[in-house]
Amino acid sequence: MNTLAKKRLKSIYAHTILILASILFLVPFVWMVSTSFKPITQVFTFPPEFLPRPFQWENYIEATKYIPFWTYTWNTAVITGLSTLGVVLSCPLVAYSFAKLRWRGRNALFAITIGVMMIPTQVTMIPLFLLFNQLGWVGTNLPLIVPAFFGVPFSIFLLRQFFKGLPDTLREAAKIDGASEWRIYWQIMFPLAKPAVLAVALFQFMAAWTDFLGPLIYLTDEAAYTLSLGLQQFQNQQGSQWHMMMAVSTLMTLPIIVLFFFMQKTFIRGITFTGIKG
């Protein structure tokens, strides 16, 4: 067997494994969407039936009536949008300083940033709650939004790797032309980092959109609930209505799927380029 045939055989094996793995991961999602259109009598039939008989489109209408779904969607969108904006504004700036600027204590502070990534959320949960309670923020959206404007360690790490991969000659040429460090960042480096920044923004969007623990801890007014809390509320009130619960879950998942579908090329480029240079 020649080299070309071996490469083709390896490619076939790799694609076969990837296709089988993708099917395995898609089955729960397909079942969720399928169940959202089923009548309640067909949900637990055995063997499982993926094709609803008949399609009940009204499941979605009825499901949004049990809880203030659109209010919760707006609350989630506000928190997600502002926290994503905070990450986009803060993390690239900090990452750029770690990657390109020379200042005393840079390496030590970056080591602390990496160390923060290793601290479990449960360790900082109570101190943060006490801090936000002293500030009078408990019961508001602020604990879910403001921390993002001070940077997310994982996002800073990814963006630093990207900035380190950009040639220093760009900065040097801009400095020769008289550009300030701030102008170099905003007009040269930040636009070049667009794939990585969008990848980080997508990570933050998914984390904030699906966050359950944060809203559960800090939100006390039912009118300020997010979709994740609304889904739990729906389960508590209508736990036996699985077809409607799957309809609400599908609606909650849809924005993430649509966003990733339109941004997948940029997302993959950003993740790939962050590992070019250590």
Side-chain angles (χ1 to χ4, degrees):
M1 185 179 293
N2 55 39
T3 305
L4 182 60
K6 289 182 179 179
K7 288 183 177 179
R8 288 180 177 176
L9 188 60
K10 288 182 180 179
S11 178
I12 292 174
Y13 285 151
H15 281 82
T16 301
I17 293 173
L18 290 174
I19 291 172
L20 292 176
S22 64
I23 292 174
L24 182 65
F25 281 101
L26 277 174
V27 167
F29 177 75
V30 173
W31 185 87
M32 178 182 70
V33 176
S34 171
T35 304
S36 69
F37 291 106
K38 292 178 181 178
I40 186 63
T41 55
Q42 195 185 353
V43 173
F44 293 108
T45 55
F46 188 83
E49 298 179 15
F50 283 91
L51 188 63
R53 294 180 292 103
F55 276 82
Q56 290 196 172
W57 300 92
E58 60 271 18
N59 286 351
Y60 284 82
I61 300 175
E62 293 297 325
T64 56
K65 292 180 180 178
Y66 280 104
I67 58 174
F69 178 81
W70 301 114
T71 300
Y72 294 167
T73 301
W74 170 253
N75 296 337
T76 307
V78 170
I79 294 173
T80 302
L82 291 178
S83 63
T84 302
L85 176 64
V87 166
V88 170
L89 291 177
S90 64
C91 292
L93 188 61
V94 177
Y96 174 74
S97 70
F98 279 142
K100 295 299 184 182
L101 304 184
R102 299 291 181 267
W103 43 278
R104 183 177 299 178
R106 184 192 65 168
N107 294 334
L109 192 57
F110 180 68
I112 293 174
T113 304
I114 297 298
V116 171
M117 293 171 54
M118 303 177 186
I119 300 176
T121 305
Q122 294 80 358
V123 175
T124 59
M125 189 183 303
I126 295 177
L128 281 176
F129 180 85
L130 295 176
L131 173 63
F132 292 137
N133 188 47
Q134 288 293 324
L135 294 173
W137 288 3
V138 174
T140 69
N141 292 337
L142 293 177
L144 306 174
I145 297 173
V146 174
F149 284 85
F150 290 88
V152 176
F154 179 71
S155 299
I156 293 172
F157 171 75
L158 284 181
L159 290 169
R160 174 186 176 271
Q161 299 306 104
F162 185 93
F163 281 121
K164 284 183 71 67
L166 298 179
D168 290 331
T169 53
L170 294 173
R171 293 180 61 249
E172 295 170 358
K175 283 187 174 181
I176 292 175
D177 290 338
S180 64
E181 199 67 61
W182 186 254
R183 185 179 178 186
I184 293 172
Y185 169 73
W186 275 114
Q187 296 187 2
I188 299 176
M189 294 299 182
F190 188 82
L192 290 174
K194 179 182 175 182
V197 172
L198 289 178
V200 165
L202 183 59
F203 276 133
Q204 179 62 27
F205 182 92
M206 290 189 296
W209 186 267
T210 60
D211 185 23
F212 174 75
L213 188 60
L216 181 65
I217 294 174
Y218 297 114
L219 299 182
T220 56
D221 185 5
E222 188 173 317
Y225 278 6
T226 59
L227 281 174
S228 55
L229 293 182
L231 191 60
Q232 184 201 40
Q233 185 185 44
F234 185 94
Q235 184 179 11
N236 293 336
Q237 294 178 359
Q238 305 291 332
S240 60
Q241 303 295 322
W242 286 98
H243 56 317
M244 294 187 188
M245 188 172 177
M246 292 302 104
V248 175
S249 300
T250 302
L251 289 174
M252 182 177 175
T253 309
L254 191 60
I256 297 177
I257 296 174
V258 172
L259 185 65
F260 181 79
F261 178 79
F262 285 105
M263 292 180 57
Q264 58 179 324
K265 290 185 178 179
T266 304
F267 174 74
I268 293 172
R269 283 178 58 200
I271 293 300
T272 303
F273 290 161
T274 52
I276 289 179
K277 186 175 181 181

